[in-house]
Amino acid sequence: MRSSSRLSERWFNFVLWLVALAFAVFLIGLGALVVGDLPQVEHRFTLAQFLDKDAAQASTDALKRIRREQDDVRRQAEQAQLALDAARSASEAARETFANWLKTRDATQRVDQDPALVARTEGLDALKAAERAVEERLEGLSRSGLDLSERESAQDGIEAELRAAGQQKLDAAEAGQELRVFGYRLALTLPLLALAGWLLAKRRHTRNWPFVWGFAFAAAFAFFVELVPYLPSYGGYVHYGVGVLATFFVGRAAINALHAYNERQKAAEARPDAERRTEIATDQALQRLAKKVCPGCERPIDLANPAANYCPHCGIGVFERCPSCEHRKSTFERFCYACGTPGPNPA
C-alpha cells in the first residue's frame, strides 16, 4: 500500500516532468542536427562525372568552332551589307547625275556629247555590276550562315544525347546515394525507437523515469517527425510500416493488460473484504469515491444513500461506524473526521 501524495511530492513530480520535457527538447535538437548532417558522409554527384569525356570534349570543341565561324560570317555579312549600302548609294547618285546630264543633252542636241553618253552609260553599268557583286557575296554569306546553323543544330542534338545518357547515369547514382543516406538515418533512428520502447517497458518506474520518458519522446519525435522530410519515394512504406507494427504491439499489450486487469479484479473480488481494503491506497480510494465509483471494482455506487455501506457489485466495505463516536466514515480513511480515532483496519 502506498501513502497519500503530499503537496511537495506533487510539485517535485511536476518539476521532474519539466526535466523530462527539457531533456527531450535537447535530444530532439541534437538528433535534428545529426540527421540533417548525415548526407555529408556522401559526396555530391555532378553531370560532368557521368558524361563520355572524349565525346563530350569533341562535341564542345565542334560547337566552339561552329560558333566562331558563325561570328566570322556574321561580321563579314555586316561588312558586306555596309558595302552594298555604299554601292547602292553610289549607283543611285550616278543615275541621278546621268539623268540630269541627259536632260541637258536633250536641250542642247549636241552630237559631240555622244561619246560622253557612252562613257557615262558604261560607268553606270560598272556601278551596277559592283552592286550586284556585293549582293552575290552577301547571298553567299547568308547560305554559309544557314549551313552553319544547320550544323549547330545537329551538334546540339549530339550534345543533348550525350547529356541525356549522362543524366540517366546521374539519376541512378543519386537514387543509390539517396537509398544509402536513408539507410544511415534509419539505422540511427530505428534503434533509438526500439531502445525507447525497451526503457519504457523496463525502466519507467525507476528513480530515473524523467530521463526515460524524455528519451522516449525524443526517439519517437526523431522517427515519426524528423525523418519525414528525408523520406524517399519508398520511405513512406518503412515509416508507416513501423507505425503499424508499433500500434499493433501497443494495442496487443493494452488488450492483454485489460484482460489481466479483469482477471485480477475477479480474483480480488473473491478475497475477504478486509484483505482487499488493505491493498488499496488511501489517496486512490478517496479519489475513486470522489468520482462516485467503488474503490475496489471501479463500478458506480450510490454514495448519497446513508444505508449503502457496501459495494453492490463486489461487496467491499465502503463505509463503517467509528468505534469511538459512531460517526459514519469511509473504511479507507485512516482517522475519523469527527473524533480523530484511528480506524480498526486503516488502509
Coordinates of all heavy atoms in Angstrom, one line a residue, residues 27-90:
L27 N 17.5 16.6 -26.7 CA 17.8 15.4 -27.5 C 17.2 15.6 -28.9 O 17.8 15.2 -29.9 CB 17.2 14.2 -26.9 CG 17.9 13.6 -25.7 CD1 17.2 12.4 -25.1 CD2 19.4 13.3 -26.0
I28 N 16.0 16.2 -29.0 CA 15.4 16.4 -30.4 C 16.3 17.3 -31.2 O 16.5 17.1 -32.4 CB 14.0 16.9 -30.2 CG1 13.1 15.8 -29.7 CG2 13.5 17.5 -31.5 CD1 11.7 16.3 -29.3
G29 N 16.8 18.4 -30.6 CA 17.6 19.4 -31.3 C 18.9 18.7 -31.7 O 19.4 18.9 -32.9
L30 N 19.5 17.9 -30.9 CA 20.7 17.2 -31.2 C 20.5 16.2 -32.3 O 21.3 16.1 -33.3 CB 21.3 16.5 -30.0 CG 22.6 15.6 -30.2 CD1 23.7 16.5 -30.7 CD2 22.9 14.9 -28.9
G31 N 19.4 15.5 -32.2 CA 19.0 14.5 -33.3 C 18.8 15.1 -34.6 O 19.1 14.6 -35.6
A32 N 18.1 16.3 -34.6 CA 17.9 17.0 -35.9 C 19.2 17.4 -36.5 O 19.3 17.3 -37.8 CB 17.0 18.2 -35.6
L33 N 20.2 17.8 -35.8 CA 21.5 18.2 -36.4 C 22.1 16.9 -36.9 O 22.7 17.0 -38.0 CB 22.3 18.8 -35.3 CG 21.9 20.2 -34.8 CD1 22.8 20.7 -33.7 CD2 21.9 21.2 -35.9
V34 N 22.1 15.8 -36.2 CA 22.8 14.6 -36.7 C 22.1 14.1 -37.9 O 22.7 13.8 -38.9 CB 22.8 13.6 -35.6 CG1 23.3 12.2 -36.1 CG2 23.6 14.0 -34.4
V35 N 20.8 14.0 -37.9 CA 20.0 13.5 -39.1 C 20.2 14.4 -40.3 O 20.4 13.9 -41.4 CB 18.5 13.4 -38.7 CG1 17.7 13.0 -40.0 CG2 18.3 12.3 -37.7
G36 N 20.2 15.7 -40.1 CA 20.4 16.7 -41.2 C 21.8 16.6 -41.8 O 21.9 16.9 -43.0
D37 N 22.8 16.3 -40.9 CA 24.2 16.3 -41.4 C 24.6 14.9 -42.0 O 25.7 14.8 -42.5 CB 25.1 16.7 -40.3 CG 25.0 18.2 -40.0 OD1 24.5 18.9 -40.8 OD2 25.4 18.6 -38.8
L38 N 23.8 13.9 -41.9 CA 24.2 12.6 -42.4 C 24.5 12.6 -43.9 O 25.4 11.8 -44.3 CB 23.1 11.6 -42.1 CG 23.1 11.0 -40.7 CD1 21.9 10.1 -40.5 CD2 24.4 10.3 -40.4
P39 N 23.8 13.4 -44.8 CA 24.2 13.4 -46.2 C 25.7 13.8 -46.5 O 26.2 13.5 -47.5 CB 23.2 14.3 -46.8 CG 22.1 14.4 -45.9 CD 22.6 14.2 -44.6
Q40 N 26.3 14.4 -45.5 CA 27.7 14.9 -45.7 C 28.7 13.7 -45.8 O 29.8 13.9 -46.2 CB 28.1 15.9 -44.6 CG 27.3 17.2 -44.7 CD 27.7 18.2 -43.6 OE1 28.8 18.0 -43.0 NE2 27.0 19.2 -43.4
V41 N 28.2 12.5 -45.3 CA 29.1 11.4 -45.5 C 29.2 10.9 -46.9 O 30.1 10.1 -47.2 CB 28.6 10.2 -44.6 CG1 28.6 10.7 -43.1 CG2 27.3 9.7 -45.0
E42 N 28.4 11.4 -47.8 CA 28.4 11.1 -49.2 C 28.8 12.3 -50.0 O 28.5 13.4 -49.6 CB 27.0 10.6 -49.7 CG 26.6 9.3 -49.0 CD 27.1 8.1 -49.7 OE1 27.6 8.2 -50.9 OE2 27.1 7.0 -49.1
H43 N 29.6 12.1 -51.1 CA 30.0 13.2 -51.9 C 28.9 13.5 -52.9 O 28.1 12.6 -53.3 CB 31.3 13.0 -52.7 CG 31.2 11.9 -53.7 ND1 31.3 10.5 -53.3 CD2 31.0 11.9 -55.0 CE1 31.1 9.8 -54.4 NE2 31.0 10.6 -55.4
R44 N 28.7 14.8 -53.4 CA 27.7 15.2 -54.3 C 28.1 14.8 -55.7 O 29.3 15.1 -56.1 CB 27.4 16.6 -54.2 CG 26.8 17.0 -52.8 CD 26.4 18.5 -52.8 NE 25.4 18.8 -53.8 CZ 24.1 18.6 -53.6 NH1 23.7 18.1 -52.4 NH2 23.2 18.9 -54.5
F45 N 27.2 14.2 -56.5 CA 27.5 13.9 -57.9 C 27.2 15.1 -58.8 O 26.3 15.9 -58.5 CB 26.6 12.7 -58.3 CG 27.0 11.4 -57.6 CD1 26.1 10.8 -56.8 CD2 28.3 10.9 -57.7 CE1 26.4 9.6 -56.1 CE2 28.6 9.7 -57.1 CZ 27.7 9.1 -56.3
T46 N 27.9 15.2 -59.9 CA 27.6 16.2 -60.9 C 27.4 15.5 -62.3 O 27.9 14.3 -62.5 CB 28.7 17.2 -61.0 OG1 30.0 16.5 -61.4 CG2 28.9 17.9 -59.7
L47 N 26.8 16.2 -63.2 CA 26.5 15.6 -64.5 C 27.8 15.3 -65.2 O 28.0 14.3 -66.0 CB 25.6 16.5 -65.3 CG 25.3 16.1 -66.7 CD1 24.5 14.8 -66.7 CD2 24.4 17.1 -67.5
A48 N 28.8 16.2 -65.0 CA 30.1 16.0 -65.7 C 30.8 14.7 -65.4 O 31.6 14.2 -66.2 CB 31.0 17.2 -65.4
Q49 N 30.5 14.1 -64.2 CA 31.2 12.9 -63.8 C 30.7 11.7 -64.7 O 31.3 10.7 -64.7 CB 30.9 12.6 -62.3 CG 31.5 13.6 -61.4 CD 31.2 13.3 -60.0 OE1 30.2 13.9 -59.4 NE2 31.9 12.4 -59.4
F50 N 29.5 11.8 -65.3 CA 28.9 10.7 -66.0 C 28.8 10.9 -67.5 O 28.2 10.1 -68.2 CB 27.5 10.4 -65.4 CG 27.5 10.1 -63.9 CD1 27.3 11.1 -63.0 CD2 27.7 8.8 -63.5 CE1 27.3 10.8 -61.6 CE2 27.7 8.5 -62.1 CZ 27.5 9.5 -61.2
L51 N 29.4 11.9 -68.0 CA 29.5 12.1 -69.4 C 30.7 11.4 -70.0 O 31.7 11.2 -69.4 CB 29.6 13.6 -69.8 CG 28.4 14.5 -69.4 CD1 28.7 16.0 -69.7 CD2 27.2 14.1 -70.2
D52 N 30.5 10.9 -71.3 CA 31.7 10.4 -72.0 C 32.6 11.5 -72.3 O 32.4 12.4 -73.1 CB 31.2 9.8 -73.3 CG 32.3 9.0 -74.1 OD1 33.5 9.3 -73.9 OD2 31.9 8.1 -74.9
K53 N 33.8 11.5 -71.6 CA 34.6 12.7 -71.6 C 35.2 13.0 -73.0 O 35.2 14.1 -73.4 CB 35.8 12.5 -70.7 CG 35.4 12.4 -69.2 CD 36.5 12.3 -68.3 CE 36.1 12.2 -66.8 NZ 37.2 12.1 -65.9
D54 N 35.6 12.0 -73.8 CA 36.1 12.2 -75.1 C 35.0 12.7 -76.0 O 35.3 13.7 -76.7 CB 36.7 10.9 -75.7 CG 37.9 10.4 -74.9 OD1 38.6 11.3 -74.2 OD2 38.2 9.2 -74.9
A55 N 33.9 12.1 -76.0 CA 32.8 12.5 -76.9 C 32.3 13.9 -76.5 O 32.0 14.7 -77.3 CB 31.7 11.5 -76.9
A56 N 32.2 14.1 -75.2 CA 31.7 15.4 -74.7 C 32.7 16.5 -75.1 O 32.3 17.6 -75.5 CB 31.5 15.4 -73.2
Q57 N 34.0 16.3 -75.0 CA 35.0 17.3 -75.3 C 35.0 17.5 -76.8 O 35.1 18.7 -77.3 CB 36.4 16.8 -74.9 CG 37.5 17.8 -75.1 CD 37.3 19.0 -74.2 OE1 36.9 18.9 -73.1 NE2 37.5 20.2 -74.8
A58 N 34.9 16.5 -77.6 CA 34.8 16.6 -79.1 C 33.6 17.5 -79.5 O 33.6 18.3 -80.3 CB 34.8 15.3 -79.8
S59 N 32.5 17.2 -78.8 CA 31.2 17.9 -79.1 C 31.4 19.4 -78.7 O 31.0 20.3 -79.5 CB 30.1 17.3 -78.4 OG 28.9 18.0 -78.6
T60 N 32.0 19.6 -77.6 CA 32.2 21.0 -77.1 C 33.1 21.8 -78.1 O 32.8 22.9 -78.5 CB 32.8 21.0 -75.7 OG1 31.9 20.3 -74.8 CG2 33.0 22.4 -75.2
D61 N 34.2 21.1 -78.5 CA 35.1 21.8 -79.5 C 34.5 22.1 -80.8 O 34.7 23.1 -81.4 CB 36.4 20.9 -79.7 CG 37.2 20.7 -78.4 OD1 37.0 21.6 -77.5 OD2 38.0 19.8 -78.3
A62 N 33.6 21.1 -81.3 CA 32.9 21.3 -82.5 C 32.0 22.5 -82.4 O 31.9 23.3 -83.4 CB 32.2 20.0 -82.9
L63 N 31.2 22.6 -81.3 CA 30.3 23.7 -81.2 C 31.1 25.0 -81.1 O 30.6 26.0 -81.6 CB 29.5 23.5 -79.9 CG 28.3 22.5 -80.0 CD1 27.7 22.3 -78.6 CD2 27.3 23.1 -81.0
K64 N 32.2 25.0 -80.4 CA 33.0 26.3 -80.4 C 33.5 26.7 -81.8 O 33.4 27.9 -82.1 CB 34.2 26.0 -79.5 CG 33.9 26.0 -78.0 CD 35.1 25.8 -77.1 CE 34.8 25.7 -75.7 NZ 36.0 25.5 -74.8
R65 N 33.9 25.7 -82.6 CA 34.4 26.0 -83.9 C 33.2 26.6 -84.7 O 33.3 27.6 -85.5 CB 35.0 24.8 -84.6 CG 36.3 24.4 -84.1 CD 37.0 23.4 -85.0 NE 36.2 22.2 -85.2 CZ 36.3 21.1 -84.4 NH1 37.1 21.1 -83.4 NH2 35.5 20.1 -84.7
I66 N 32.1 25.9 -84.7 CA 30.9 26.4 -85.4 C 30.5 27.8 -85.0 O 30.2 28.6 -85.9 CB 29.7 25.4 -85.2 CG1 30.0 24.0 -85.9 CG2 28.4 25.9 -85.8 CD1 29.0 22.9 -85.6
R67 N 30.5 28.0 -83.8 CA 30.1 29.4 -83.3 C 31.1 30.4 -83.7 O 30.8 31.6 -83.9 CB 29.8 29.3 -81.8 CG 28.5 28.6 -81.5 CD 28.4 28.2 -80.1 NE 27.1 27.4 -79.9 CZ 26.8 26.7 -78.8 NH1 27.7 26.6 -77.8 NH2 25.7 26.1 -78.8
R68 N 32.4 30.1 -83.7 CA 33.4 31.0 -84.2 C 33.2 31.3 -85.6 O 33.3 32.5 -86.1 CB 34.8 30.5 -83.9 CG 35.3 30.6 -82.5 CD 36.8 30.4 -82.4 NE 37.3 29.1 -82.9 CZ 37.4 28.0 -82.2 NH1 37.2 28.1 -80.9 NH2 37.8 26.9 -82.7
E69 N 32.9 30.3 -86.4 CA 32.7 30.5 -87.8 C 31.4 31.4 -88.0 O 31.4 32.2 -88.9 CB 32.5 29.2 -88.6 CG 33.8 28.4 -88.6 CD 33.6 27.0 -89.3 OE1 32.5 26.8 -89.9 OE2 34.5 26.2 -89.3
Q70 N 30.4 31.1 -87.2 CA 29.2 31.9 -87.3 C 29.5 33.4 -87.0 O 28.9 34.3 -87.6 CB 28.1 31.4 -86.3 CG 27.4 30.1 -86.8 CD 26.4 29.6 -85.7 OE1 26.6 29.7 -84.5 NE2 25.3 29.0 -86.2
D71 N 30.3 33.6 -86.0 CA 30.7 35.0 -85.7 C 31.4 35.7 -86.8 O 31.2 36.8 -87.2 CB 31.6 35.0 -84.4 CG 30.8 34.6 -83.2 OD1 29.6 34.8 -83.2 OD2 31.4 34.2 -82.2
D72 N 32.4 34.9 -87.5 CA 33.1 35.4 -88.6 C 32.1 35.7 -89.8 O 32.2 36.8 -90.4 CB 34.1 34.4 -89.1 CG 35.3 34.3 -88.1 OD1 35.4 35.2 -87.2 OD2 36.0 33.2 -88.1
V73 N 31.2 34.8 -90.1 CA 30.2 35.0 -91.2 C 29.4 36.2 -90.8 O 29.0 37.0 -91.7 CB 29.4 33.8 -91.4 CG1 28.2 34.0 -92.3 CG2 30.3 32.6 -92.0
R74 N 29.0 36.4 -89.6 CA 28.1 37.5 -89.2 C 28.8 38.8 -89.4 O 28.3 39.8 -89.9 CB 27.7 37.3 -87.7 CG 26.6 38.2 -87.3 CD 26.1 37.9 -85.9 NE 25.6 36.6 -85.7 CZ 26.2 35.6 -85.1 NH1 27.4 35.8 -84.5 NH2 25.7 34.4 -85.0
R75 N 30.1 38.8 -89.0 CA 30.9 40.1 -89.2 C 31.1 40.4 -90.7 O 30.9 41.5 -91.1 CB 32.3 40.0 -88.5 CG 32.2 40.1 -87.0 CD 33.6 40.3 -86.4 NE 34.4 39.1 -86.7 CZ 34.5 38.1 -85.8 NH1 33.8 38.1 -84.7 NH2 35.3 37.1 -86.1
Q76 N 31.4 39.4 -91.5 CA 31.5 39.6 -92.9 C 30.2 40.0 -93.5 O 30.2 40.9 -94.4 CB 32.0 38.3 -93.6 CG 33.4 37.9 -93.2 CD 33.8 36.6 -93.8 OE1 33.3 36.1 -94.8 NE2 34.8 35.9 -93.2
A77 N 29.1 39.4 -93.1 CA 27.8 39.9 -93.6 C 27.5 41.3 -93.3 O 26.9 42.1 -94.1 CB 26.7 38.9 -93.0
E78 N 27.9 41.7 -92.1 CA 27.7 43.1 -91.7 C 28.5 44.0 -92.6 O 28.0 45.1 -93.0 CB 28.0 43.3 -90.2 CG 27.0 42.6 -89.3 CD 27.5 42.7 -87.8 OE1 28.6 43.2 -87.6 OE2 26.7 42.3 -86.9
Q79 N 29.8 43.6 -92.8 CA 30.6 44.5 -93.7 C 30.1 44.5 -95.1 O 30.1 45.5 -95.8 CB 32.0 43.9 -93.7 CG 32.7 44.0 -92.3 CD 34.1 43.3 -92.3 OE1 34.5 42.7 -93.3 NE2 34.8 43.4 -91.2
A80 N 29.6 43.3 -95.6 CA 29.1 43.2 -97.0 C 27.8 44.1 -97.1 O 27.5 44.8 -98.1 CB 28.8 41.8 -97.3
Q81 N 27.0 44.1 -96.0 CA 25.8 44.9 -96.0 C 26.1 46.4 -96.1 O 25.5 47.2 -96.8 CB 24.9 44.7 -94.8 CG 23.6 45.4 -94.7 CD 22.7 44.9 -95.9 OE1 22.5 43.7 -96.1 NE2 22.1 45.8 -96.6
L82 N 27.2 46.8 -95.4 CA 27.6 48.2 -95.5 C 28.1 48.5 -96.9 O 27.9 49.6 -97.4 CB 28.7 48.5 -94.4 CG 28.3 48.4 -92.9 CD1 29.5 48.5 -92.0 CD2 27.3 49.5 -92.6
A83 N 28.9 47.6 -97.4 CA 29.4 47.8 -98.8 C 28.3 47.9 -99.8 O 28.3 48.7 -100.7 CB 30.4 46.7 -99.2
L84 N 27.2 47.0 -99.6 CA 26.1 47.1 -100.5 C 25.3 48.4 -100.4 O 24.9 49.0 -101.4 CB 25.2 45.9 -100.2 CG 23.9 45.8 -101.0 CD1 24.2 45.7 -102.5 CD2 23.0 44.6 -100.5
D85 N 25.2 48.9 -99.2 CA 24.5 50.2 -99.0 C 25.3 51.3 -99.7 O 24.7 52.2 -100.3 CB 24.4 50.5 -97.5 CG 23.4 49.5 -96.8 OD1 22.6 48.9 -97.5 OD2 23.5 49.4 -95.5
A86 N 26.7 51.2 -99.5 CA 27.5 52.2 -100.2 C 27.4 52.1 -101.7 O 27.3 53.1 -102.4 CB 29.0 52.0 -99.7
A87 N 27.4 50.9 -102.3 CA 27.3 50.7 -103.7 C 26.0 51.2 -104.2 O 25.9 51.8 -105.3 CB 27.5 49.2 -104.1
R88 N 24.9 50.9 -103.5 CA 23.6 51.4 -103.9 C 23.5 52.9 -103.9 O 22.9 53.5 -104.8 CB 22.5 50.8 -103.0 CG 22.3 49.3 -103.3 CD 21.3 48.7 -102.3 NE 21.0 47.3 -102.7 CZ 20.3 46.4 -101.9 NH1 19.8 46.9 -100.7 NH2 20.1 45.2 -102.3
S89 N 24.1 53.5 -102.9 CA 24.1 54.9 -102.8 C 24.9 55.5 -104.0 O 24.4 56.5 -104.6 CB 24.7 55.4 -101.5 OG 24.0 54.9 -100.4
A90 N 26.0 54.9 -104.3 CA 26.8 55.4 -105.4 C 26.1 55.3 -106.7 O 26.1 56.2 -107.6 CB 28.2 54.7 -105.4

